[in-house]
Amino acid sequence: MGIPAPEERLEEYPHQFSGGMQQRAIIAIALSCRPQLLLADEPTTALDVTVQAQILDLLRQINQRDGTGIILVTHNLAVAAEFCQRLAVMYAGQLMELGPAETVISEPLHPYTKGLLRSLPYLVPKGSPLTPIPGSVPDLAQLPSGCPFNPRCDIATDICREEAPPWVKVSSNHAACCWRLT
Amino acid sequence: MTEALVVVKDLKKHFPVQRSLVAKLLTGTKDQWVRAVDGVDFVIHNQETLGLVGESGCGKTTLGRTLVGLYEPTAGSVTFAGQDVFQLKKTNPVAFYRQVQMVFQNPYASLNPRKTVREILSQPLKVRDRYNPKELEEAIQRLLEQVGLNKYHMDRYPHQFSGGQRQRVSIARALAMQPSFIVCDEPVSALDVSVQAQILNLLQDLQVRHQLTYLFISHDLSVVRYLCDRVAVMYLGKIVELGNTEEVFNHPVHPYTEALLSSMPQIKRDPNQKKILLTGSVPSPLDPPPGCSFHPRCIAKVGKICELESPELIACSPGHFAACHRGQA
């Protein structure tokens, strides 16, 4: 796991570990039974970028060396783009888009994915405003009818407000849930 | 732009680590000091945004809080428009807080849950000026409109707002005093990307409209690159690099800045760019390593000097400063 002096640190309590070391210990617990699939829920959100890079490097090694499949749950698009082979985008409890990470980032299909990418301060010239998605996430107990994203979508039509959108495959491995792709 | 608004000179803030008398007698240890900020010099120019980046525990927040007078410095001085911050704060706190305000990191903890937005905003307004009830109502409404809220939000409590809206209320509260300098301590770290974009737009708008100067504290390098004119990189209580944002991002001089930039995840990575993985984590500020405090993790040490002498922050090109023996040897 990359914990230095493991014999000595075995007897220590969690509070004696740094954040990155604690996360390594958690990964060690998760891997102790040699699982085929590891679900990593925001494993680096609480960590600094330099430590985040170390933890992602460790997870990548586990993936390549032992063949453990990893589901990485994150809100950080850059981490997802760098670390993952495939990317699934969720909104209000539903899968909105699924495809190879590179394609989803470079040619997003769903307006929500496009909106997320546009709101990143990445490559936006200084001084020009960012384009956030208008509005906020709906109350999950009172989802709008039709597509859950329709109130915030800039290309929504009548059918989007009435019926749930179909899952549309645009290529063998890239699909999204949107009426505008039909 | 070149006029200096805030001047920080050799600022130090050390916190004592309290130990009980018994522990001291039994173990023979003395009081220890956390050197949160350990000798920092810089200026913030009028109407600029200075970014302050670094890992957690490097002293960013302590530095920000010392600038707004929440902590008294252990040594050194902070002057604001030519006046010493701590003298001014003691003799005339209202005048001081008319000039200097802060937006805190956590919008869930920095608003009093038992007060409505009206109460939260009327307090600073009442301190600043005398209002009759009608004027006060109008002033609160104007503040809310400036931050993209409206009068219907006035009688709500903080828990009735989303994270982004709460941060808007915090910003309105800071604006109530009509300050010229605002310290923003990680104002967007707790928010989702889309809401983060809204708040960043708002901060830029307000800066133009009210000629504000910001110290923007963040660990998110992409946000800093987008928003800030200049950036200061902090490591273990010291500034290790300072310069124009693009200059620092494109041509980092300090090995720590290089490592920090290369570990920043990117949507589209340049395949030629090599990732520098730092080993270990930030040492304890209780007992910083001798010499350059970065030397135990540094991959570009030039020799013994790194372990013995602490490098000075000196100019490596006009307006670009770094504290590293590599460039100075």
Side-chain angles (χ1 to χ4, degrees):
Chain A
M1 275 316 111
I3 296 177
E7 293 86 1
E8 290 163 35
R9 308 217 67 171
L10 206 55
E11 299 299 323
E12 288 187 0
Y13 284 94
H15 74 267
Q16 294 169 294
F17 274 38
S18 67
M21 285 300 159
Q22 290 179 3
Q23 202 58 281
R24 284 171 199 268
I26 298 275
I27 296 171
I29 296 171
L31 290 178
S32 59
C33 292
R34 302 193 175 278
Q36 286 178 291
L37 179 68
L38 180 68
L39 174 66
D41 185 2
E42 304 260 12
T44 60
T45 306
L47 305 174
D48 287 308
V49 275
T50 57
V51 182
Q52 168 173 286
Q54 293 169 12
I55 295 293
L56 290 178
D57 192 57
L58 175 68
L59 287 173
R60 195 174 287 124
Q61 279 174 28
I62 291 163
N63 172 257
Q64 284 164 1
R65 191 186 56 206
D66 308 336
T68 310
I70 297 178
I71 299 178
L72 181 82
V73 180
T74 178
H75 68 269
N76 187 328
L77 280 164
V79 166
E82 257 194 19
F83 182 79
C84 305
Q85 281 119 36
R86 291 199 303 149
L87 208 59
V89 182
M90 255 185 113
Y91 184 78
Q94 288 174 33
L95 208 55
M96 288 289 152
E97 182 162 355
L98 176 67
E102 267 176 43
T103 330
V104 173
I105 298 288
S106 57
E107 298 155 43
L109 295 173
H110 199 281
Y112 175 60
T113 317
K114 289 179 190 166
L116 275 184
L117 289 167
R118 269 202 302 266
S119 54
L120 290 178
Y122 169 76
L123 278 190
V124 179
K126 199 163 277 170
S128 61
L130 301 166
T131 24
I133 307 172
S136 54
V137 182
D139 183 349
L140 289 182
Q142 294 170 331
L143 282 183
S145 63
C147 171
F149 187 60
N150 85 66
R152 305 173 72 190
C153 183
D154 51 357
I155 55 166
T157 57
D158 286 343
I159 191 161
C160 303
R161 291 178 201 99
E162 285 152 15
E163 273 182 68
W167 186 245
V168 185
K169 273 194 160 188
V170 295
S171 68
S172 61
N173 55 8
H174 192 186
C177 190
C178 181
W179 278 114
R180 298 304 297 259
L181 297 168
T182 52
Chain B
M1 259 306 268
T2 47
E3 199 185 325
L5 185 70
V6 181
V7 180
V8 179
K9 272 204 187 112
D10 199 26
L11 185 72
K12 289 183 183 168
K13 177 67 198 170
H14 298 175
F15 295 102
V17 179
Q18 303 287 348
R19 283 172 200 267
S20 70
L21 188 63
V22 180
K24 266 191 249 179
L25 289 174
L26 284 178
T27 59
T29 49
K30 290 183 184 151
D31 270 340
Q32 284 183 300
W33 295 88
V34 174
R35 296 151 177 258
V37 175
D38 201 19
V40 162
D41 285 273
F42 64 92
V43 296
I44 304 177
H45 302 306
N46 206 1
Q47 290 183 46
E48 81 165 344
T49 305
L50 176 70
L52 184 61
V53 298
E55 290 175 272
S56 43
C58 73
K60 307 187 293 282
T61 296
T62 306
L63 177 57
R65 292 188 166 200
T66 313
L67 291 197
V68 298
L70 288 176
Y71 294 143
E72 199 166 331
T74 311
S77 71
V78 182
T79 51
F80 177 83
Q83 285 174 291
D84 186 87
V85 160
F86 299 92
Q87 287 304 320
L88 186 63
K89 199 198 151 200
K90 274 187 196 134
T91 52
N92 195 348
V94 175
F96 176 66
Y97 284 114
R98 268 178 201 222
Q99 299 290 325
V100 180
Q101 283 288 314
M102 184 158 183
V103 174
F104 294 91
Q105 178 166 13
N106 187 342
Y108 294 85
S110 59
L111 297 173
N112 188 337
R114 302 181 65 163
K115 286 187 172 173
T116 61
V117 168
R118 181 196 299 271
E119 290 169 308
I120 289 171
L121 295 181
S122 57
Q123 213 163 13
L125 286 170
K126 281 179 187 161
V127 170
R128 196 189 73 202
D129 256 324
R130 277 175 200 198
Y131 290 99
N132 64 41
K134 189 164 173 282
E135 285 170 345
L136 187 65
E137 182 95 9
E138 283 167 3
I140 295 173
Q141 196 178 328
R142 268 202 306 279
L143 275 176
L144 287 175
E145 279 164 6
Q146 279 184 8
V147 297
L149 298 171
N150 57 51
K151 60 180 177 191
Y152 304 108
H153 293 113
M154 220 184 273
D155 291 304
R156 294 202 195 155
Y157 286 93
H159 73 266
Q160 294 169 298
F161 290 103
S162 67
Q165 286 174 321
R166 285 180 207 215
Q167 206 54 294
R168 286 174 194 267
V169 175
S170 300
I171 294 171
R173 177 176 62 182
L175 286 176
M177 291 299 258
Q178 296 179 354
S180 49
F181 176 52
I182 300 183
V183 172
C184 303
D185 186 5
E186 307 252 15
V188 296
S189 304
L191 308 173
D192 279 323
V193 276
S194 172
V195 182
Q196 168 178 304
Q198 294 170 10
I199 298 292
L200 291 179
N201 281 345
L202 173 67
L203 286 173
Q204 293 187 92
D205 259 16
L206 293 170
Q207 179 166 39
V208 175
R209 212 177 324 157
H210 300 286
Q211 291 95 45
L212 294 172
T213 305
Y214 291 134
L215 175 70
F216 189 88
I217 303 175
S218 180
H219 65 266
D220 188 334
L221 296 162
S222 57
V223 170
V224 166
R225 183 172 201 172
Y226 168 71
L227 194 74
C228 300
D229 305 305
R230 291 193 307 145
V231 61
V233 183
M234 227 177 146
Y235 188 77
L236 268 188
K238 290 197 169 91
I239 288 184
V240 295
E241 187 157 359
L242 174 72
N244 284 329
T245 308
E246 282 311 305
E247 172 77 13
V248 171
F249 275 77
N250 293 328
H251 309 286
V253 171
H254 199 280
Y256 177 63
T257 316
E258 275 178 47
L260 204 59
L261 291 175
S262 86
S263 45
M264 171 168 103
Q266 283 165 10
I267 289 282
K268 290 180 188 126
R269 177 169 288 274
D270 176 1
N272 300 321
Q273 193 194 355
K274 229 176 74 216
K275 222 169 180 161
I276 306 167
L277 267 190
L278 283 183
T279 50
S281 52
V282 186
S284 160
L286 262 178
D287 183 22
C292 170
S293 50
F294 185 58
H295 86 257
R297 302 172 79 193
C298 185
I299 52 161
K301 270 190 287 183
V302 288
K304 264 276 176 261
I305 186 167
C306 295
E307 291 159 35
L308 299 172
E309 267 178 58
S310 175
E312 302 261 330
L313 187 68
I314 56 174
C316 47
S317 65
H320 188 174
F321 303 86
C324 179
H325 290 301
R326 184 172 60 168
Q328 300 171 8

